[in-house]
């Protein structure tokens, strides 16, 4: 039997700019593309409900794209090592190629797989997801960065990025006989109770959807991104995060197409927007850099003092936050957008996260877990950075004592209440001034707007001014305190939250 190359697809669900696939094409042997569903190997970060929905649809799209190249995606479920071993025997493969993942569990698993095949077949991994490998960027002492600005300057000093892989291959050699494959439905990635209706109407997973959204972004939104990115009520951001996470687009492809725009556009505002956007892609790099160098930060604070933080694990508060029933409209709008669409605007992610950890004093890990289950772009590195940053215990974090005021944020970034009205239609009769804090209204104003606080919209579960003082006092308690027992961890709320039991 002729030898073959196995290409193991993971979070690189595309044909274009795919270094592992490209290397297999260059080898010239028949190619066996495989996807292995092995959630147990992902430990406590198994894909959540929204991620599984996305994955199902992205795989469907990849299957069709491969078919168009006369190729067939082989789907299997179980231990990655066992399946690769079986496949290698079945296909007489002499090479196994994949693109790297950077989560701690994946690094460890891939290392074991490489070790196990050593001397038997060629095993090669590639960078398809990041602009730079996490180990390529370091400070003058050779240490990892903990401050973004220095990280960003180092990236810029590296000069031009290599271009995305240009490839217009129509097809590639196929095996004489395709190995068995499970039907995609067997993976049972779609929910049993269909909660995904609005998610379905919001997103088109797969390469075609990714290209469409990139085009919309490049043809308009990007030129004002520096301004519009902060306003959740308008379509002012790229919304490419799930496509980037699942690898339907590479960060490199986006980086170059956005950068080319700056070269071709002399408008200084556009140039600023392009730079701001590239910086956001660099925040993603920074997040991966941090998780790679500090692999325990998915669960533990980077700043040790926060191990002693006196969190107050009140499960009724956590539930109210998850359901978007805190009585603070901007927070509730964000949480309902998340539930309905599997995505939330970055400004609102910061507001709801700050409200959870600072106003409600609930451990950031509980918020991170809810996001993990409900986001279609749930990404261990970005989610960890976002939560630790907001809680004040991560790299380059906002100081803990700087506490977001959700009302000021709401008035500043959703001045006309458009975003709140979209997700909280029960408040839509309120004027632009009233909508941010309905509990301040008198009886007549509430009646006029057909709102009964506590009935069709909740009264606030906490008072922000009081909550702020409590949070500051809690921070005072740990400020100078290092190295004591891990009280913070013990305070975690023991609830098994997932999309199924909202
Ligand atoms: C508490 C919290 C949790 C978060 N969890 C996630 C997560 O699980 N997955 C995720 O992809 N992003 C996460 N983010 C970062 C950010 O909110 C999203 O990347 C962004 O909202 C996605 O929308 P977009 O594609 O329109 O972003 P754009 O503004 O268009 O930015 C372009 C891309 O840059 C990257 N990016 C932007 N901001 C950040 C950031 N702050 N950190 C890291 N990368 C960034 C993303 O890949 C994004 O798609 C989180 C932020 C916070 C505050």
């Amino acid at each position: 039997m002729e030898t073959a190359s196995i290409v193991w697809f993971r979070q690189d669900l595309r044909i274009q700019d795919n270094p592992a696939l490209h290397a297999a094409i260059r080898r010239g042997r028949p190619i066996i593309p495989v996807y292995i569903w092995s959630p147990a190997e992902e430990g406590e970060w198994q894909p959540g409900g929204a991620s599984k929905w996305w994955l199902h649809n992205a795989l469907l799209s990849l299957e069709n794209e491969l078919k168009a190249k006369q190729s067939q995606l082989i789907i299997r479920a179980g231990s990655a090592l066992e399946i690769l071993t079986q496949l290698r025997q079945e296909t007489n493969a002499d090479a196994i190629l994949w693109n790297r993942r950077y989560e701690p569990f994946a690094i460890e698993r891939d290392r074991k797989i490489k070790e196990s095949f050593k001397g038997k077949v060629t095993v090669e991994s590639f960078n398809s997801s990041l602009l730079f490998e996490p180990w390529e960027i370091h400070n003058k002492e050779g240490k990892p960065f903990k401050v973004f600005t220095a990280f960003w300057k180092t990236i810029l000093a590296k000069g031009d990025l290599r271009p995305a892989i240009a490839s217009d291959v129509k097809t590639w050699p196929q095996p004489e006989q395709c190995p068995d494959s499970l039907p995609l439905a067997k993976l049972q990635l779609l929910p049993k109770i269909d909660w995904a209706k609005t998610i379905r109407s919001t997103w088109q997973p797969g390469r075609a959807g990714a290209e469409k959204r990139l085009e919309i972004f490049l043809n308009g939104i990007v030129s004002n991104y520096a301004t519009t990115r902060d306003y959740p009520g308008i379509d002012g951001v790229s919304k490419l995060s799930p496509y980037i996470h699942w690898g339907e687009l590479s960060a490199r492809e986006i980086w170059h197409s956005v950068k080319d725009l700056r070269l071709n556009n002399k408008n200084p505002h556009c140039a600023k927007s392009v730079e701001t956007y590239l910086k956001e892609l660099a925040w993603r790099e920074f997040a991966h850099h941090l998780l790679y160098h500090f692999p325990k930060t998915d669960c533990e604070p980077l700043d040790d003092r926060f191990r002693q933080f006196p969190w107050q694990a009140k499960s009724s508060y956590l539930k109210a936050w998850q359901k978007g029933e805190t009585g603070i409209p901007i927070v509730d709008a964000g949480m309902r957008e998340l539930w309905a669409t599997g995505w939330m605007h970055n400004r609102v992610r910061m507001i709801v996260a700050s409200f959870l950890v600072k106003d409600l004093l609930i451990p950031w890990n509980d918020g991170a877990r809810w996001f993990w289950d409900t986001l279609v772009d749930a990404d261990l590195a970005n989610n960890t950075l976002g939560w630790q940053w907001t809680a004040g215990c991560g790299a380059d974090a906002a100081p803990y004592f700087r506490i977001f005021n959700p009302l000021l944020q709401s008035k500043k970034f959703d001045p006309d209440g458009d975003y709140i009205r979209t997700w909280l239609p029960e408040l839509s009769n309120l004027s632009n001034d009233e909508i941010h804090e309905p509990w301040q209204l008198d009886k007549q104003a509430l009646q006029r707007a057909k709102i009964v606080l506590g009935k069709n919209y909740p009264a606030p579960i906490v008072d922000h001014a009081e909550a702020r003082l409590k949070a500051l006092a809690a921070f005072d308690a740990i400020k100078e305190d290092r190295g004591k027992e891990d009280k913070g961890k013990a305070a975690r709320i023991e609830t098994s939250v997932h999309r199924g039991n909202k």
Side-chain angles (χ1 to χ4, degrees):
M1 201 197 303
E2 196 185 356
T3 56
S5 309
I6 293 174
V7 176
W8 179 18
F9 280 88
R10 296 123 60 95
Q11 276 169 12
D12 51 346
L13 304 178
R14 64 176 184 276
I15 291 177
Q16 301 76 357
D17 191 33
N18 185 323
L21 177 63
H22 194 62
I25 294 170
R26 277 201 319 263
R27 291 186 90 237
R29 316 262 162 80
I31 294 178
I32 319 284
V34 56
Y35 182 83
I36 303 171
W37 173 238
S38 47
E41 293 182 354
E42 313 216 355
E44 53 177 321
W45 297 109
Q46 301 191 12
S51 290
K52 285 198 281 186
W53 177 86
W54 190 284
L55 176 61
H56 175 96
N57 290 290
L59 286 173
L60 194 61
S61 161
L62 181 66
E63 265 187 337
N64 289 330
E65 286 163 52
L66 286 169
K67 252 185 222 151
K69 306 271 183 204
Q70 280 38 257
S71 184
Q72 189 199 331
L73 181 65
I74 307 302
I75 295 176
R76 299 261 172 116
S79 139
L81 175 58
E82 281 171 22
I83 286 167
L84 290 172
T85 308
Q86 284 161 12
L87 265 180
R88 188 196 146 220
Q89 283 158 1
E90 290 169 32
T91 61
N92 197 29
D94 64 348
I96 304 176
L97 313 171
W98 68 71
N99 294 311
R100 286 180 207 115
R101 287 179 61 171
Y102 300 89
E103 301 94 330
F105 92 85
I107 293 175
E108 187 49 24
R109 176 186 61 183
D110 294 356
R111 191 191 57 73
K112 283 189 185 146
I113 293 177
K114 277 194 175 169
E115 191 60 34
S116 156
F117 284 118
K118 206 168 166 184
K120 297 177 194 153
V121 294
T122 302
V123 178
E124 243 188 295
S125 64
F126 303 83
N127 171 10
S128 83
S129 145
L130 296 177
L131 303 173
F132 296 98
E133 295 290 11
W135 52 88
E136 285 172 356
I137 308 284
H138 46 74
N139 65 18
K140 287 197 182 98
E141 289 82 49
K143 298 222 166 85
F145 284 104
K146 285 191 184 172
V147 175
F148 175 75
T149 312
F151 178 84
W152 171 236
K153 281 189 185 149
T154 308
I155 284 195
L156 289 182
K158 288 249 171 204
D160 279 345
L161 271 184
R162 78 156 169 77
I165 299 168
S167 168
D168 53 359
V169 284
K170 299 267 178 302
T171 183
W172 46 74
Q174 309 303 328
E176 279 158 31
Q177 201 186 349
C178 267
D180 290 344
S181 172
L182 290 172
L184 179 54
K186 272 265 180 242
L187 303 187
Q188 299 190 336
L189 299 173
L190 294 178
K192 290 197 175 76
I193 303 165
D194 185 15
W195 42 251
K197 197 163 159 248
T198 342
I199 299 188
R200 259 198 312 276
S201 59
T202 308
W203 299 101
Q204 182 189 348
R207 179 71 185 190
E211 285 180 357
K212 222 186 265 173
R213 183 64 202 173
L214 178 61
E215 207 179 304
I216 291 173
F217 182 62
L218 294 176
N219 285 339
I221 300 170
V222 68
S223 48
N224 289 310
Y225 176 79
T227 314
T228 56
R229 64 188 283 260
D230 267 323
Y231 296 89
I234 51 181
D235 192 11
V237 290
S238 71
K239 286 197 170 175
L240 289 173
S241 49
Y243 299 109
I244 300 175
H245 170 76
W246 293 105
E248 291 144 302
L249 275 174
S250 72
R252 192 174 295 275
E253 288 177 289
I254 303 174
W255 177 279
H256 284 297
S257 38
V258 170
K259 211 167 169 204
D260 288 351
L261 216 70
R262 179 168 61 188
L263 299 177
N264 300 328
N265 192 321
K266 301 287 171 255
N267 173 350
H269 191 72
C270 178
K272 182 170 178 239
S273 285
V274 164
E275 160 127 3
T276 308
Y277 188 77
L278 297 181
K279 234 180 189 172
E280 291 310 311
L281 290 179
W283 270 100
R284 174 175 178 270
E285 294 284 308
F286 187 47
H288 286 75
H289 177 83
L290 288 168
L291 187 62
Y292 177 81
H293 291 288
F294 306 99
K296 292 196 173 147
T297 50
D298 57 337
C299 296
E300 294 174 13
L302 187 67
D303 180 340
D304 271 346
R305 289 174 304 167
F306 278 80
R307 289 170 186 272
Q308 276 79 48
F309 194 86
W311 300 110
Q312 290 180 11
K314 197 163 169 185
S315 63
S316 61
Y317 280 179
L318 179 62
K319 277 219 169 78
W321 178 82
Q322 289 170 341
K323 288 178 161 179
E325 291 178 0
T326 67
I328 311 293
I330 190 75
V331 173
D332 295 342
M335 298 310 290
R336 305 238 194 130
E337 178 184 30
L338 173 61
W339 183 256
T341 68
W343 184 87
M344 194 197 296
H345 189 280
N346 181 59
R347 169 61 49 187
V348 193
R349 289 188 206 207
M350 292 194 286
I351 298 171
V352 303
S354 175
F355 186 78
L356 186 81
V357 294
K358 295 188 179 171
D359 287 52
L360 303 183
L361 287 180
I362 289 181
W364 63 269
N365 315 63
D366 291 309
R369 291 210 167 271
W370 183 251
F371 270 31
W372 186 257
D373 195 32
T374 50
L375 280 171
V376 288
D377 66 19
D379 180 281
L380 197 58
N382 292 357
N383 202 34
T384 301
L385 171 75
W387 278 98
Q388 292 228 21
W389 184 90
T390 316
C393 57
D396 213 353
Y400 188 85
F401 56 80
R402 204 173 290 156
I403 295 179
F404 265 35
N405 179 328
L407 305 178
L408 295 183
Q409 292 281 320
S410 185
K411 288 176 187 171
K412 187 166 176 192
F413 296 112
D414 188 28
D416 298 333
D418 293 340
Y419 179 73
I420 294 176
R421 276 189 201 90
T422 304
W423 299 108
L424 303 177
E426 62 271 42
L427 301 187
S428 54
N429 295 329
L430 292 173
S431 71
N432 296 355
D433 289 336
E434 294 167 336
I435 200 159
H436 307 281
E437 35 189 343
W439 65 92
Q440 298 285 15
L441 301 177
D442 60 26
K443 230 172 160 184
Q444 284 93 333
L446 285 172
Q447 258 170 6
R448 204 180 343 103
K450 299 196 176 65
I451 294 167
V452 184
L453 283 182
K455 282 234 158 111
N456 60 356
Y457 188 68
I461 56 173
V462 290
D463 172 78
H464 174 68
E466 277 172 29
R468 179 174 173 278
L469 293 178
K470 249 170 115 177
L472 290 176
F475 181 61
D476 269 348
I478 62 154
K479 226 166 34 184
E480 307 303 336
D481 217 6
R482 283 175 188 268
K484 287 198 189 150
E485 74 179 286
D486 191 351
K487 285 186 219 147
K489 219 173 173 188
R492 294 264 326 270
I493 298 175
E494 293 306 323
T495 49
S496 62
V497 285
H498 55 82
R499 272 206 75 108
N501 69 358
K502 183 190 176 196

